[in-house]
Amino acid sequence: MDQKTIPHRRKCCFFDRDGVANVEVDYLHEAEKTVLEAGFVEAVKAAHANGYLAVIITNQAGIARGMFSLQELYQVHERIQELLAEQGEKIDAIYFCPHHPDYTGVCNCRKPAPGMILKAAEELNIDLAQSLMIGDRLSDCQCGKNAGCKASYLVRTGYGLKTLTANPDPGFPVADNSYAAFMDFLKNQE
Protein backbone atom coordinates (compact mmCIF):
# COMPACT_ATOMS: atom_id res chain seq x y z
CA MET A 1 0.00 0.00 0.00
CA ASP A 2 1.52 3.32 -0.96
CA GLN A 3 1.30 6.50 1.11
CA LYS A 4 -1.52 7.96 -1.01
CA THR A 5 -3.90 5.12 -0.12
CA ILE A 6 -3.36 5.36 3.64
CA PRO A 7 -6.16 7.47 5.10
CA HIS A 8 -5.07 10.54 7.04
CA ARG A 9 -4.61 9.62 10.70
CA ARG A 10 -6.28 11.93 13.17
CA LYS A 11 -5.15 13.57 16.39
CA CYS A 12 -7.29 13.19 19.50
CA CYS A 13 -7.78 14.72 22.90
CA PHE A 14 -8.98 11.96 25.22
CA PHE A 15 -10.89 13.08 28.30
CA ASP A 16 -11.77 11.18 31.44
CA ARG A 17 -15.46 11.65 32.19
CA ASP A 18 -16.16 12.11 35.91
CA GLY A 19 -14.23 15.03 37.33
CA VAL A 20 -12.97 16.17 33.91
CA ALA A 21 -15.92 16.26 31.48
CA ASN A 22 -18.60 16.50 34.17
CA VAL A 23 -18.54 17.52 37.82
CA GLU A 24 -17.63 14.55 40.01
CA VAL A 25 -20.65 12.79 41.53
CA ASP A 26 -19.75 9.37 42.91
CA TYR A 27 -21.26 6.77 40.58
CA LEU A 28 -23.14 9.36 38.51
CA HIS A 29 -26.10 7.62 36.92
CA GLU A 30 -28.87 10.20 37.04
CA ALA A 31 -28.85 12.31 33.90
CA GLU A 32 -30.44 15.27 35.69
CA LYS A 33 -27.42 15.49 38.03
CA THR A 34 -25.00 15.89 35.11
CA VAL A 35 -23.17 19.24 35.14
CA LEU A 36 -20.22 19.98 32.86
CA GLU A 37 -16.90 20.63 34.60
CA ALA A 38 -15.26 24.06 34.39
CA GLY A 39 -13.16 24.40 31.24
CA PHE A 40 -14.57 21.32 29.51
CA VAL A 41 -16.68 23.09 26.85
CA GLU A 42 -13.73 25.35 26.08
CA ALA A 43 -11.41 22.34 25.84
CA VAL A 44 -13.71 20.57 23.37
CA LYS A 45 -14.03 23.76 21.29
CA ALA A 46 -10.25 24.25 21.28
CA ALA A 47 -9.66 20.59 20.38
CA HIS A 48 -12.03 20.73 17.42
CA ALA A 49 -10.73 24.15 16.31
CA ASN A 50 -7.22 22.69 16.18
CA GLY A 51 -8.12 19.53 14.28
CA TYR A 52 -8.36 17.12 17.22
CA LEU A 53 -11.13 14.68 17.91
CA ALA A 54 -12.67 14.92 21.41
CA VAL A 55 -13.26 11.47 22.93
CA ILE A 56 -14.30 10.45 26.45
CA ILE A 57 -12.62 7.40 28.00
CA THR A 58 -14.26 6.34 31.28
CA ASN A 59 -14.22 3.54 33.84
CA GLN A 60 -17.77 2.77 34.97
CA ALA A 61 -17.42 0.10 37.63
CA GLY A 62 -20.87 0.95 38.96
CA ILE A 63 -22.23 -1.29 36.21
CA ALA A 64 -20.20 -4.30 37.40
CA ARG A 65 -21.21 -3.51 40.98
CA GLY A 66 -24.91 -3.48 39.99
CA MET A 67 -25.30 0.14 41.09
CA PHE A 68 -26.81 1.33 37.81
CA SER A 69 -27.81 0.04 34.39
CA LEU A 70 -26.38 0.52 30.93
CA GLN A 71 -29.52 2.49 30.09
CA GLU A 72 -28.80 4.94 32.93
CA LEU A 73 -25.18 5.24 31.76
CA TYR A 74 -26.32 6.01 28.20
CA GLN A 75 -28.74 8.65 29.55
CA VAL A 76 -25.85 10.42 31.32
CA HIS A 77 -23.84 10.33 28.08
CA GLU A 78 -26.81 11.71 26.15
CA ARG A 79 -27.08 14.51 28.72
CA ILE A 80 -23.39 15.37 28.31
CA GLN A 81 -23.98 15.61 24.54
CA GLU A 82 -27.09 17.77 25.08
CA LEU A 83 -25.20 20.17 27.34
CA LEU A 84 -22.39 20.42 24.80
CA ALA A 85 -24.87 20.90 21.93
CA GLU A 86 -26.25 23.94 23.77
CA GLN A 87 -22.75 25.39 23.30
CA GLY A 88 -22.48 24.26 19.67
CA GLU A 89 -20.19 21.33 20.45
CA LYS A 90 -20.18 17.54 20.76
CA ILE A 91 -18.04 14.63 21.84
CA ASP A 92 -16.94 12.55 18.85
CA ALA A 93 -17.14 9.25 20.74
CA ILE A 94 -17.47 7.83 24.25
CA TYR A 95 -15.79 4.60 25.33
CA PHE A 96 -16.48 3.04 28.71
CA CYS A 97 -15.29 0.07 30.73
CA PRO A 98 -18.17 -1.60 32.63
CA HIS A 99 -15.85 -3.94 34.53
CA HIS A 100 -14.31 -4.18 37.99
CA PRO A 101 -11.73 -6.86 38.82
CA ASP A 102 -13.53 -7.86 42.05
CA TYR A 103 -16.80 -8.47 40.20
CA THR A 104 -16.02 -9.33 36.59
CA GLY A 105 -12.33 -10.25 36.64
CA VAL A 106 -9.42 -8.49 35.02
CA CYS A 107 -9.99 -6.84 31.62
CA ASN A 108 -7.84 -4.93 29.16
CA CYS A 109 -10.05 -1.83 29.14
CA ARG A 110 -10.17 -0.67 32.76
CA LYS A 111 -7.78 2.26 33.19
CA PRO A 112 -4.82 2.25 33.60
CA ALA A 113 -4.99 -0.52 30.96
CA PRO A 114 -4.99 1.06 27.49
CA GLY A 115 -7.80 -0.97 25.91
CA MET A 116 -10.34 1.83 25.45
CA ILE A 117 -7.81 4.20 23.88
CA LEU A 118 -6.44 1.45 21.63
CA LYS A 119 -9.98 0.58 20.50
CA ALA A 120 -10.73 4.25 19.79
CA ALA A 121 -7.46 4.57 17.86
CA GLU A 122 -8.37 1.60 15.68
CA GLU A 123 -11.99 2.59 15.09
CA LEU A 124 -11.38 6.33 14.57
CA ASN A 125 -7.98 6.12 12.82
CA ILE A 126 -6.16 8.01 15.57
CA ASP A 127 -2.43 8.70 15.65
CA LEU A 128 -1.71 8.18 19.34
CA ALA A 129 1.78 9.67 19.02
CA GLN A 130 0.06 13.03 18.28
CA SER A 131 -2.68 12.68 20.90
CA LEU A 132 -3.15 13.35 24.61
CA MET A 133 -5.10 12.08 27.61
CA ILE A 134 -6.53 14.36 30.31
CA GLY A 135 -7.65 12.95 33.65
CA ASP A 136 -8.05 13.64 37.35
CA ARG A 137 -6.46 10.40 38.58
CA LEU A 138 -3.09 8.80 38.04
CA SER A 139 -4.83 5.79 36.43
CA ASP A 140 -6.12 8.15 33.70
CA CYS A 141 -2.66 9.54 33.03
CA GLN A 142 -1.07 6.10 33.13
CA CYS A 143 -3.69 4.86 30.64
CA GLY A 144 -2.62 7.54 28.16
CA LYS A 145 1.02 6.65 28.69
CA ASN A 146 0.32 2.92 28.34
CA ALA A 147 -1.54 3.55 25.08
CA GLY A 148 1.35 5.55 23.61
CA CYS A 149 -0.18 9.03 23.76
CA LYS A 150 2.27 11.88 23.32
CA ALA A 151 1.26 13.32 26.72
CA SER A 152 -1.04 12.77 29.68
CA TYR A 153 -2.19 15.62 31.90
CA LEU A 154 -3.49 15.54 35.45
CA VAL A 155 -6.08 18.24 36.20
CA ARG A 156 -7.00 19.75 39.57
CA THR A 157 -10.76 19.26 38.98
CA GLY A 158 -12.64 16.21 40.27
CA TYR A 159 -10.28 14.03 42.30
CA GLY A 160 -7.27 15.92 40.97
CA LEU A 161 -6.52 17.85 44.17
CA LYS A 162 -6.78 14.67 46.27
CA THR A 163 -4.53 12.91 43.76
CA LEU A 164 -1.97 15.71 44.03
CA THR A 165 -2.12 15.74 47.84
CA ALA A 166 -1.28 12.02 47.87
CA ASN A 167 1.22 12.38 44.98
CA PRO A 168 2.73 15.88 45.01
CA ASP A 169 5.06 14.92 42.16
CA PRO A 170 2.76 12.84 39.95
CA GLY A 171 5.18 12.42 37.05
CA PHE A 172 2.73 14.05 34.62
CA PRO A 173 2.11 17.70 33.76
CA VAL A 174 -0.57 19.32 35.94
CA ALA A 175 -3.16 21.91 34.87
CA ASP A 176 -6.13 23.62 36.51
CA ASN A 177 -8.71 22.07 34.17
CA SER A 178 -9.06 20.33 30.82
CA TYR A 179 -8.93 23.58 28.82
CA ALA A 180 -5.69 24.67 30.50
CA ALA A 181 -4.27 21.19 29.89
CA PHE A 182 -5.15 21.17 26.19
CA MET A 183 -3.80 24.69 25.65
CA ASP A 184 -0.54 23.80 27.40
CA PHE A 185 -0.22 20.71 25.21
CA LEU A 186 -0.89 22.79 22.09
CA LYS A 187 1.68 25.39 23.10
CA ASN A 188 4.28 22.63 23.48
CA GLN A 189 3.57 21.41 19.91
CA GLU A 190 4.78 24.70 18.38
Side-chain angles (χ1 to χ4, degrees), residues 22-61:
N22 57 268
V23 173
E24 177 65 48
V25 174
D26 282 335
Y27 298 103
L28 175 63
H29 63 281
E30 296 161 298
E32 65 275 8
K33 291 185 178 178
T34 306
V35 176
L36 297 182
E37 184 59 76
F40 181 62
V41 172
E42 295 82 0
V44 173
K45 283 182 185 281
H48 285 148
N50 286 280
Y52 287 75
L53 294 171
V55 173
I56 289 176
I57 303 290
T58 181
N59 287 347
Q60 292 297 319

Side-chain angles (χ1 to χ4, degrees), residues 54-128:
V55 173
I56 289 176
I57 303 290
T58 181
N59 287 347
Q60 292 297 319
I63 293 171
R65 293 172 184 264
M67 299 172 77
F68 54 87
S69 67
L70 279 173
Q71 180 181 352
E72 289 170 306
L73 177 74
Y74 291 136
Q75 289 170 345
V76 168
H77 292 171
E78 286 170 21
R79 184 64 184 144
I80 290 170
Q81 293 285 36
E82 288 169 4
L83 292 169
L84 283 168
E86 291 171 8
Q87 305 294 321
E89 277 301 335
K90 68 175 182 136
I91 286 296
D92 296 297
I94 300 175
Y95 292 83
F96 65 92
C97 170
H99 310 117
H100 187 284
D102 295 344
Y103 296 85
T104 55
V106 176
C107 65
N108 70 348
C109 56
R110 182 174 169 81
K111 294 179 284 182
M116 288 184 282
I117 290 180
L118 297 177
K119 183 177 181 183
E122 182 180 330
E123 292 181 354
L124 303 174
N125 195 31
I126 294 168
D127 181 356
L128 294 174

Side-chain angles (χ1 to χ4, degrees), residues 8 11 13 28-29 32 125 131 133 140 145 155 163 178:
H8 177 69
K11 301 176 284 187
C13 184
L28 175 63
H29 63 281
E32 65 275 8
N125 195 31
S131 300
M133 174 71 199
D140 300 323
K145 182 178 179 181
V155 291
T163 299
S178 56

Side-chain angles (χ1 to χ4, degrees), residues 117 131-135 138 140-147 149-154 171-174 181 185:
I117 290 180
S131 300
L132 73 152
M133 174 71 199
I134 301 173
L138 290 180
D140 300 323
C141 296
Q142 195 64 48
C143 175
K145 182 178 179 181
N146 292 342
C149 288
K150 187 168 191 174
S152 290
Y153 279 77
L154 181 69
F172 296 98
V174 178
F185 176 80

